[in-house]
Amino acid sequence: MIYLTRRATFSASHYYWNPAWTAEKNEQVFGRCARRAGHGHNYTLEVTVAGEPDTVTGFVVDLKWLRDVIDREVLTAWDHRHLNLDVPEFAVTESTATIPTTENLAIAAWRRLQSAVSAANGAQLSRVRIYETPEIFAEFRGEP
Amino acid sequence: MKAYFGRRYTISASHRLHADTLTVEENLATYGKCNNPNGHGHNYVVEVLVGGSVDPETGMVINLAALDEVVRTKVIERFDHTNLNLDPLFLNRVPTTENLCREVFALLKDALPAGELERVRMEETENNFFECSSE
């Protein structure tokens, strides 16, 4: 099994806010990340695909194809957006919200990529890692 | 649903690789310039990976501030701007980055909630690193 990884970057804004909590509790748990005007990051997305190299091309998947999948499934929806306000999986209602933490971004990116990647030539999505800064990252491996 | 949260920290420290059980010549042959009698130093990067379920209320595996506090008190304050050979952990053990990685893993494993620490990666330079997990 070979693991192939492609990186992409996107820039987006967000804030952390649980609508079921008081303002005080949000500020206590999330600190500066709870400021409602939001803030932003340059994110790096790493997509790892596992598979056997094709006997003719030597590719697990074509990197240009993977770049296009990442562009279409993730970057079009997330790059230069406000994650809380513009992205459906983080939409806020009066009482619920999936907070756009780096952990939840990794899970959401996995869900956006999985079907497109697994349609390709027997390859499987193995890992999605998202760096919020060069020092902070989260990853999801499809585990329950 | 299980996810992972990773965070990178830096510690600057000196060390000398020298085994008391080896002769002068054997130490030099084994450790080369790392055996320099007065030691040398590195900017180590400690990458801590924590695994667990994502809390539905916070969207987090672990609160970043809580992790920072554990790493600061257990690792950074202990090793940053020190000579690793003088730490009690290395009185009878060579402070290779393998051994440092293992000790940092043990210190953090004891301080974090059970089962949360997934892996510690210790980068000695940009070109070499060591990893320790609970295997």
Side-chain angles (χ1 to χ4, degrees):
Chain A
M1 187 80 88
I2 297 292
Y3 296 85
L4 169 158
T5 300
R6 173 116 204 168
R7 287 200 183 108
T9 60
F10 64 95
S11 303
S13 57
H14 69 169
Y15 57 77
Y16 291 177
W17 193 268
N18 183 335
W21 291 350
T22 62
E24 290 72 27
K25 182 160 183 191
N26 273 291
E27 282 154 16
Q28 180 218 324
V29 173
F30 296 129
R32 288 180 293 181
C33 297
R35 290 176 185 164
R36 292 304 292 272
H39 61 281
H41 299 285
N42 294 322
Y43 292 92
T44 298
L45 167 64
E46 281 183 6
V47 178
T48 302
V49 173
E52 293 297 333
D54 183 273
T55 51
V56 176
T57 64
F59 291 166
V60 173
V61 293
D62 186 318
L63 279 168
K64 292 193 299 297
W65 172 85
L66 183 58
R67 179 194 62 201
D68 291 344
V69 167
I70 295 168
D71 279 352
R72 186 180 72 237
E73 303 296 336
V74 181
L75 300 194
T76 309
W78 291 4
D79 185 36
H80 286 75
R81 306 282 187 183
H82 190 302
L83 297 171
N84 304 69
L85 305 182
D86 299 330
V87 174
E89 50 261 60
F90 303 113
V92 184
T93 70
E94 277 185 18
S95 58
T96 63
T98 298
I99 302 167
T101 57
T102 320
E103 292 92 323
N104 279 333
L105 282 172
I107 294 169
W110 175 283
R111 288 177 174 158
R112 282 175 172 268
L113 291 164
Q114 189 185 21
S115 59
V117 169
S118 56
N121 202 24
Q124 298 251 320
L125 188 57
S126 174
R127 192 185 81 182
V128 168
R129 179 182 281 197
I130 294 189
Y131 285 87
E132 180 181 270
T133 71
E135 287 78 37
I136 296 173
F137 64 87
E139 65 181 53
F140 186 61
R141 305 171 187 170
E143 293 167 275
Chain B
M1 197 167 290
K2 185 172 188 185
Y4 301 85
F5 182 80
R7 175 86 153 130
R8 290 163 69 83
Y9 306 87
T10 303
I11 53 179
S12 301
S14 61
H15 69 169
R16 180 197 185 202
L17 303 187
H18 181 90
D20 292 336
T21 49
L22 300 178
T23 66
V24 171
E25 292 74 24
E26 286 169 335
N27 269 294
L28 199 55
T30 304
Y31 297 120
K33 60 187 178 183
C34 298
N35 186 238
N36 178 43
N38 292 322
H40 63 282
H42 298 286
N43 295 321
Y44 295 91
V45 174
V46 189
E47 186 180 288
V48 180
L49 188 71
V50 173
S53 56
V54 178
D55 183 327
E57 284 199 305
T58 63
M60 295 172 173
V61 168
I62 188 170
N63 188 301
L64 170 64
L67 178 63
D68 281 356
E69 183 63 13
V70 168
V71 176
R72 185 181 65 78
T73 55
K74 299 295 175 186
V75 175
I76 296 176
E77 286 182 357
R78 178 167 192 154
F79 297 119
D80 188 37
H81 286 76
T82 69
N83 181 331
L84 297 176
N85 297 70
L86 302 181
D87 188 285
L89 288 169
F90 299 112
L91 288 183
N92 299 304
R93 192 177 301 152
V94 185
T96 57
T97 308
E98 291 92 324
N99 282 334
L100 179 62
C101 188
R102 182 174 279 170
E103 295 300 342
V104 166
F105 185 88
L107 290 167
L108 291 176
K109 186 167 188 267
D110 287 345
L112 288 166
E116 284 200 350
L117 184 61
E118 189 76 18
R119 191 185 70 208
V120 168
R121 174 190 292 211
M122 185 71 68
E123 300 180 6
E124 184 180 73
T125 71
E126 288 175 3
N127 299 322
N128 70 62
F129 61 84
F130 305 85
E131 295 186 337
C132 184
S133 57
S134 45
E135 296 159 32

